[in-house]
Amino acid sequence: MTRYAPAYRIAPSILSADFARLGQEVADVIEAGADWIHFDVMDNHYVPNLTVGPLVCKAIRPCTKAPIDVHLMVEPVDALVPMFAKAGADWITFHCEASRHIDRTIGLIRECGARPGLVFNPATPLACLEYELDKIDMILLMSVNPGFGGQKFIPGTLAKIRAVRALVERHYEQTGHEVLIEVDGGIKPANIAEVAAAGANVFVAGSAIYGAGDKAGYEREIRAMREAIATRC
Ligand code: DX5
Ligand code: ZN
């Protein structure tokens, strides 16, 4: 069997995009070299902020062929899963604390035709992975407390990434099932290399990319991120 070594993916978060020009912003960032669109859904209940729902996901779906990675920061979770799957989500991730029946929610995402992922806040233990690793395709580790873009990366996340990397490598050796490791919050060209070296392979970045202003800026930031990863890993 080959070694666990998924390709690196850069996933700009639309949270920091210009919402008045969202379709163009989505197309621009992919043309600038990004791999996925990270779509942050906040409900003013699970997190103290309010963003966008399935209608907006459906509206941006024709703007790119790139995978749309829907990050649900909502509670309860299940009712929104079929709606986002229908709206074109390729990936749907949710926070363990937000679902009463984690296994059922994972199954529902799969049944709806999307790929499921579990999200862990900075202080949330990884306990349920012991039972669910074989059913998910991605683990999203929050490197900030969810709810807002532009926060500072919490350095303690690096140890958690290493622990998850060891788990998914062992799982891959035993089963051949590849689980991606996504990290979200405060990622920039200056710290992405150590996040990659710790074991992550999907990098969410909102303010660092969209904060660069225009397509040329997005391209510059994404290139700087890829170069930083390449020099360190
Ligand atoms: C935080 C969101 C993140 C956030 C990332 O709750 O899930 O996706 O927008 O933004 P930056 O990269 O600015 O921390
Ligand atoms: Zn997110």
Side-chain angles (χ1 to χ4, degrees):
M1 195 186 299
T2 50
R3 203 166 56 87
Y4 171 86
Y8 294 111
R9 282 124 167 151
I10 308 272
S13 162
I14 58 153
L15 198 58
S16 297
D18 176 355
F19 273 72
R21 306 171 42 251
L22 193 55
Q24 192 59 51
E25 288 274 76
V26 163
D28 281 357
V29 89
I30 295 298
E31 280 170 32
D35 303 292
W36 291 5
I37 294 298
H38 184 79
F39 192 95
D40 283 312
V41 183
M42 304 185 186
D43 66 349
N44 191 38
H45 175 69
Y46 180 68
V47 289
N49 201 354
L50 189 63
T51 59
V52 286
L55 273 179
V56 177
C57 184
K58 188 175 173 203
I60 63 157
R61 183 62 284 185
C63 304
T64 182
K65 289 194 172 69
I68 299 180
D69 166 32
V70 171
H71 174 192
L72 294 179
M73 288 162 275
V74 304
E75 184 181 3
V77 180
D78 291 8
L80 286 175
V81 166
M83 295 166 88
F84 272 105
K86 239 177 129 183
D90 296 276
W91 291 85
I92 300 181
T93 64
F94 66 97
H95 288 247
C96 313
E97 302 91 343
S99 171
R100 286 220 182 143
H101 307 285
I102 294 172
D103 184 78
R104 178 181 290 154
T105 305
I106 291 169
L108 178 62
I109 295 171
R110 190 78 77 185
E111 262 167 47
C112 289
R115 299 186 70 183
L118 262 180
V119 192
F120 296 85
N121 283 330
T124 303
L126 299 168
C128 69
L129 280 182
E130 188 183 337
Y131 309 104
E132 297 300 319
L133 199 50
D134 56 333
K135 300 191 180 150
I136 57 177
D137 291 338
M138 185 156 72
I139 296 162
L140 168 47
L141 297 176
M142 293 305 300
S143 40
V144 297
N145 289 297
F148 302 94
Q151 303 182 78
K152 228 173 142 269
F153 183 88
I154 298 172
T157 315
L158 293 172
K160 207 171 187 182
I161 299 170
R162 283 185 211 108
V164 164
R165 176 69 184 230
L167 273 179
V168 303
E169 280 192 9
R170 197 162 53 237
H171 179 69
Y172 183 75
E173 279 160 22
Q174 289 165 353
T175 66
H177 172 218
E178 188 179 84
V179 180
L180 300 180
I181 304 170
E182 181 174 42
V183 178
D184 184 4
I187 293 188
K188 322 197 162 322
N191 63 12
I192 196 167
E194 49 179 351
V195 178
N201 33 57
V202 183
F203 307 89
V204 176
S207 48
I209 295 176
Y210 278 113
D214 58 11
K215 196 166 152 187
Y218 307 160
E219 212 172 326
R220 194 180 58 238
E221 291 302 309
I222 293 166
R223 196 178 328 113
M225 287 180 176
R226 291 200 196 282
E227 282 170 8
I229 295 171
T231 52
R232 179 79 181 261
C233 297

